[in-house]
Amino acid sequence: ARYRLEGQRHSVTGELRFPPQPPALGEQPDTWQPVALSGRGEIFSFSVIRQAPAGYEELAPYPVALVRLAEGP
């Protein structure tokens, strides 16, 4: 979902996962339900990409970050 941080919540255990993934082999399609995440969190680590991969050179430099979400790791 563009401009919306979305994960999935397990319908039985309540476990949260990000990013969303297709059902595992043998899993029912409705086992994981989409859930909107708050977007709040804490930056765990970051880096600035100065030498971008082929096709993305015009975007450099750009930051990337690992974020510990408020909803959990």
Side-chain angles (χ1 to χ4, degrees):
R2 189 173 179 135
Y3 303 118
R4 184 177 68 213
L5 192 59
E6 192 173 271
Q8 292 175 313
R9 185 174 304 280
H10 195 274
S11 59
V12 176
T13 66
E15 177 187 355
L16 192 63
R17 71 180 180 187
F18 178 82
Q21 303 166 26
L25 228 48
E27 221 173 27
Q28 295 299 317
D30 61 347
T31 301
W32 293 92
Q33 300 296 318
V35 62
L37 302 174
S38 69
R40 292 187 313 266
E42 175 183 355
I43 294 176
F44 182 74
S45 182
F46 77 96
S47 184
V48 176
I49 306 298
R50 299 189 188 285
Q51 291 187 326
Y56 296 92
E57 297 90 353
E58 69 280 355
L59 299 175
Y62 59 89
V64 293
L66 291 174
V67 178
R68 184 174 288 129
L69 297 173
E71 290 83 2

